[in-house]
Structure formats: C-alpha cells, structure tokens
Amino acid sequence: MNKKNATIYDISKKLNVSVATVSRALNDHPRISQATKDLVKKTAKEMNYKQNNLAKALKSGETKNVGIIVPYINTNFFSSVIRGIEEELSPHGYHVIICQSHEDVNIEKRHLNTLLNAQVDGIFMSVSKTTIDTEHIQNILDTTNTPIIFFDRKKDISGISTVTIDDYQGGYMATQHLINEGYRNICHFSGDLNLEIYQNRLNGYKQALLDHNLSIKEENIITTGSSIDEGIDAVKKLWDKKSVPDAIFSSSDFAALGACQELKKRKIKIPQEVAIIGFSNEPFTQFMELPMSSVDQTPVTMGKMAGQVFIDGVKGNGSGVSIEKKVVLAPQLYIRKSSKRK
C-alpha cells in the first residue's frame, strides 16, 4: 500500500518546529542551519513528502520549464541544437518541453499557445517554412513577458533575440571552394526560398560566382526541398534539359545525397565529372562510400549560445530578454572527396 503524501504541516507537527522553518529548510534558506535542513529533508523523504511545484512556481513566478519548437526532431541538426540548449540550461535547473511543427504554421501556433498556458519561462523556436505571417508571434511579445529566442530559422521581429550562423558566408565558402578546385559551371539547389537561411545561402553562391568573374545562370538555380527524393528529381531535371553542370552546391545535405545517388545511377563520376557539396554536415556525409563535403552549422554551439542568451536575459531583469541580441556564428567548411578534384 502506498503511503499518503505528507504535507509540510505533517512534517512540522512531527518535528515540533514551525511550518515556516520546514518550508525554509526544504528551500535551502540561508538562515536555517545545515543540521535542521538535513533533518527536515530526511523526515520529508521518510514521510513521502512531494513538493508542490505548481505552488512553488506561482510563488516564485518561475516554472523552470522552457519550450523548444522545431520543424522536426529527427534530424541531427535540430536534435543537436536541442542538446546544446538543454546542456546550457540544465545546470540552472531548467527542463525543456520539445514540440514539432511539422512545417505547419497552424501546428506552430497551437504549440505556442500550449507552452504559454504551461507558463514556460521562455520559448526557443525555429520557424516553419509556412510561417509567413508572424502575427501570432508578435502577439506574444505584445501581451506577455515570455521571452522568445529564434535559432537557425528566424523572422526579423523587433524584441526577439536570434542565434544563427552566417548562411551567406557558408554559401560563399562552398561555392568558392568549388571554383578553387577548377569547377566553372556550378549548379545550386536552393531549398525553400520562403526561409531566409536559404535566401542567404543562394546570395552567397551568387556573390562567389561574381567575384570570380563567372556568370549567374538562372537555369543553374533549382528550387528543391530538403529531401533525398528532391535531390534525385533536381538532377533528373538538369539532365533532361541537357543543362549539365560540372558541380552542385546544395543547401541541404539530404538533397545532395539524392543528387549523389542519381549521378551514380547514371554512371557519372564524382568528383571527376561532377562535384557535390552539401550544407549542415549531417553525420552520414562522412560515412558515405564517397565522403561528401559539407558546410557545418555548429548546432550544439548554436543551442548553447541560445541558452546563454536566455540565461543572460533572465539574470538581467527577471522578466525575460529585454535587450535584443543578434548572435551570428561562423560556419565551418569540411572538404571531403566528393568535391576535391585537385
């Protein structure tokens, strides 16, 4: 038979001390001696006392919970960002609640409402590709003190801190590497251009071409999603149009993987005939039969930095992040056999 949960009044009666003393001892109040704290906590455990976290949260104004909204959790990038946030916040006593939008703005809205109703102390989010209108996010800023921090995918909203990598520089570095290896007719798989990260990667690609006196060919820019199948389809479109490049820079590792599979099926040699470079540095890139070059987004560091921005804001004023911070991390280029001709 389970013991009935005791209350602080039961502990007070058993130890013949005041309720206030029990409460302070359980919360490590500095005015209570260590001996009393140890005795109260030992008795609380013996009596099956469970602290009322909701009451504690209402009293302190903190739940010690934060929400994280990502498009999907089953990618190395987003799971690594979550890991970074959790590692940064856990020593401060925070717990994370993870939500997936599945790239649907309506699901994103529902998750935001759920997290607000749970009275989380902050929300970290990477917006969905269908998040065009941001009224639901602006409304949170206008009506609550709950801080929001964007990571990776962001919208430019005043009052929201952001932690991203320099996607423009990443696109530039990838394209410049291909040019330095002797490739000249470079195709780009752009990703969904509703998202700023893909616009920036595209712009970096274009600027690298211009800086090396190479023309920008619109037929070499293929809009794809971030999936293997769409990478396969993009290669089919290029070869069907006989617009054959000698290199492909993909804004997604998964689309780049699809391109590799289709090129191999067509018996096109990589990198001798066509080079491939992706973006995100997913773990599979280094374990492929022909390891694939990729731009790393340092996701764990991104998560840790987002957590740090949150903690700094909470410590600063106790009511959320009031000073808007824009943290931009440097991308890292990992060169492997798929793009190394020289």
Side-chain angles (χ1 to χ4, degrees), residues 322-339:
S322 61
I323 300 174
E324 186 178 333
K325 294 186 179 180
K326 304 293 184 187
V327 179
V328 181
L329 304 172
Q332 298 176 15
L333 176 62
Y334 285 85
I335 299 170
R336 302 187 180 105
K337 291 183 180 179
S338 70
S339 67

Side-chain angles (χ1 to χ4, degrees), residues 88-318:
E88 188 68 25
L89 296 188
S90 183
H92 297 277
Y94 287 96
H95 305 277
V96 302
I97 302 169
I98 303 167
C99 307
Q100 298 181 85
S101 69
H102 297 282
E103 300 286 21
D104 186 328
V105 67
N106 292 315
I107 296 176
E108 180 178 281
K109 290 176 182 178
R110 290 203 299 272
H111 285 321
L112 283 169
N113 287 331
T114 299
L115 292 171
L116 289 173
N117 288 334
Q119 297 184 320
V120 294
D121 297 334
I123 297 172
F124 300 82
M125 66 183 299
S126 192
V127 299
S128 79
K129 66 182 181 183
T130 56
T131 303
I132 309 300
D133 183 353
T134 58
E135 183 181 356
H136 60 295
I137 300 171
Q138 185 64 52
N139 185 55
I140 295 173
L141 295 181
D142 295 340
T143 60
T144 78
N145 286 324
T146 306
I148 298 174
I149 298 170
F150 286 144
F151 62 88
D152 187 45
R153 304 179 181 185
K154 67 180 179 67
K155 295 291 182 180
D156 289 324
I157 302 175
S158 179
I160 294 184
S161 292
T162 62
V163 181
T164 60
I165 68 156
D166 190 336
D167 288 287
Y168 173 91
Q169 183 62 22
Y172 190 99
M173 290 164 59
T175 309
Q176 185 177 54
H177 160 64
L178 293 171
I179 294 168
N180 290 342
E181 290 293 316
Y183 300 101
R184 292 295 178 267
N185 188 24
I186 303 168
C187 174
H188 178 52
F189 294 174
S190 71
D192 191 324
L193 293 176
N194 283 329
L195 293 168
E196 185 180 317
I197 58 172
Y198 295 121
Q199 296 173 21
N200 291 338
R201 292 171 197 178
L202 170 61
N203 290 335
Y205 156 81
K206 288 180 174 179
Q207 192 59 53
L209 293 179
L210 293 175
D211 287 351
H212 291 83
N213 299 312
L214 297 174
S215 60
I216 298 170
K217 302 175 184 177
E218 289 305 317
E219 64 270 22
N220 273 352
I221 300 171
I222 310 293
T223 302
T224 66
S226 300
S227 72
I228 294 172
D229 287 343
E230 291 184 78
I232 291 171
D233 290 342
V235 169
K236 288 179 179 177
K237 287 176 186 175
L238 286 168
W239 263 255
D240 288 347
K241 292 191 299 183
K242 299 196 171 20
S243 176
V244 180
D246 61 5
I248 297 171
F249 160 47
S250 172
S251 279
S252 157
D253 277 341
F254 290 98
L257 175 58
C260 287
Q261 291 178 354
E262 183 62 21
L263 291 173
K264 184 177 180 180
K265 185 178 177 182
R266 292 170 180 261
K267 302 192 184 309
I268 295 168
K269 294 179 181 178
I270 304 171
Q272 293 88 341
E273 295 178 77
V274 179
I276 301 280
I277 186 167
F279 208 108
S280 193
N281 198 35
E282 291 282 340
F284 69 78
T285 56
Q286 58 186 308
F287 300 118
M288 293 167 60
E289 181 181 352
L290 184 72
M292 187 170 75
S293 299
S294 187
V295 178
D296 193 282
Q297 297 175 267
T298 61
V300 175
T301 301
M302 182 180 289
K304 285 179 176 290
M305 187 58 66
Q308 188 176 318
V309 168
F310 169 75
I311 291 295
D312 288 347
V314 169
K315 284 182 178 177
N317 60 29

Side-chain angles (χ1 to χ4, degrees), residues 51-69:
Q51 193 163 24
N52 188 329
N53 289 326
L54 178 58
K56 185 179 179 182
L58 290 172
K59 185 177 180 181
S60 67
E62 290 185 309
T63 62
K64 286 295 183 178
N65 291 325
V66 297
I68 305 176
I69 303 177

